[in-house]
Amino acid sequence: MSRSRLPGYLGVLLLGAMLAARPAGADAADPTTTAERLALLRTAAARADEGLEALIGQMLLAVDAGRRGSALTVEGDQPPAPEFAAAADFAATAAAMAIVVERSTASLDATLAAVAPSFGGLPDGPHAVALERLRLQLTAAGQASGPFVRRRHAADDTLVALADALAALADDDATAALDALDRADAERAAVAAWKQPPSVLSYWLDTTGAMLATARRIAEATIAGDRVAAAKAGRAYQKAAEQARRADIALALAMTESGAALASAPLRGLAVALAADIAQREAVASVLQIGR
């Protein structure tokens, strides 16, 4: 038996002992005693309801912050780590609150068993241990989100630098094009350093690498005044670009899935825990109506 539930069970033993000392049917003949027992039940239910209300509010804060962090991981320019840190803090507070709520609902369960056994027990509600585990998962998601976002930006910046190179070539500035291609190569290398990448990344690296290489040949042939080589490289670039467009779409989808997966487990866990807490509070509300 957990420590958090022990006081509730002790309470029902004490209450049961007092009720057992009364003769059968005494309650029906003693409205005052019945009213006192119902008052005791409602007091326990009100205490549990108050705790659940505060806990649900805290968990909603954790869910909202976690969702914002997940959205920023997938897209956006703001760092997601602060949102995940806030979500973890909210979950930590919720875990501390859940300890108190577990005790109050255990006490209410015990009182129900003695005063209104036909009602049955309360549905399962918050568990501090589960919320603490979710806090750790949110913290881990925040730590992983920074490197992921940097890789996402590096993929975008690779294509931006390539576009700059093409614009420079269109302006007959091959030197500026080479500078832009150097930037593109550096950003592509940052993406290639992904330790556990999605399977589509190698396809993107190959096709993007081919595009950068042929664009570089165009620039170098332009500087050398070799029109034949520049034209040949231009045709090769067109081929590479067709493949790269498909690779860009595939990588964008993989990035979205990978980014969302970073926090999917704790967000799903928070949603399940929140639904359980709401269901338990609804049951407590029904207890408050007993005898009315």
Side-chain angles (χ1 to χ4, degrees):
M1 187 180 301
S2 68
R3 292 180 182 272
S4 63
R5 301 187 72 86
L6 183 57
Y9 289 107
L10 290 177
V12 74
L13 289 176
L14 292 173
L15 183 58
M18 289 187 291
L19 295 175
R22 300 181 54 79
D27 290 341
D30 190 347
T32 301
T33 301
T34 300
E36 288 174 351
R37 294 173 66 190
L38 286 174
L40 179 64
L41 179 63
R42 287 172 189 147
T43 298
R47 186 181 303 113
D49 182 70
E50 181 181 0
L52 281 165
E53 180 182 20
L55 176 60
I56 289 170
Q58 192 70 18
M59 291 183 64
L60 284 171
L61 293 174
V63 169
D64 288 344
R67 284 176 174 170
R68 288 193 299 270
S70 184
L72 288 172
T73 301
V74 173
E75 60 182 358
D77 298 325
Q78 298 299 317
E83 293 292 352
F84 282 125
D89 288 343
F90 290 135
T93 302
M97 295 169 69
I99 295 174
V100 178
V101 172
E102 284 182 68
R103 290 173 181 164
S104 64
T105 53
S107 178
L108 176 57
D109 252 336
T111 307
L112 269 170
V115 177
S118 62
F119 184 88
L122 297 174
D124 201 22
H127 292 287
V129 173
L131 291 173
E132 174 61 19
R133 182 169 60 248
L134 293 174
R135 179 192 71 81
L136 294 174
Q137 291 176 348
L138 287 166
T139 299
Q143 292 170 345
S145 65
F148 180 89
V149 170
R150 284 195 291 274
R151 286 189 292 268
R152 175 168 63 78
H153 286 165
D156 292 340
D157 291 344
T158 299
L159 301 181
V160 170
L162 175 59
D164 290 343
L166 296 178
L169 287 173
D171 290 339
D172 290 327
D173 191 345
T175 300
L178 289 175
D179 290 341
L181 289 170
D182 288 340
R183 294 200 319 272
D185 284 334
E187 296 297 340
R188 178 179 172 277
V191 182
W194 199 339
K195 291 183 180 178
Q196 293 181 318
S199 58
V200 74
L201 182 64
S202 59
Y203 176 41
W204 184 86
L205 289 171
D206 290 345
T207 56
T208 304
M211 232 177 6
L212 294 176
T214 52
R216 186 174 293 277
R217 289 204 300 271
I218 295 172
E220 290 172 345
T222 300
I223 291 174
D226 189 339
R227 296 184 174 221
V228 174
K232 183 178 179 181
R235 290 190 295 273
Y237 179 87
Q238 291 299 325
K239 265 189 179 178
E242 290 174 8
Q243 291 290 326
R245 277 192 289 273
R246 289 191 288 271
D248 288 340
I249 294 171
L251 182 63
L253 292 174
M255 282 277 193
T256 298
E257 292 175 359
S258 298
L262 289 181
S264 61
L267 288 177
R268 185 168 56 249
L270 283 172
V272 170
L274 182 59
D277 294 348
I278 291 172
Q280 190 176 64
R281 191 181 181 210
E282 289 173 349
V284 171
S286 298
V287 173
L288 287 168
Q289 298 304 313
I290 292 176
R292 292 190 185 277

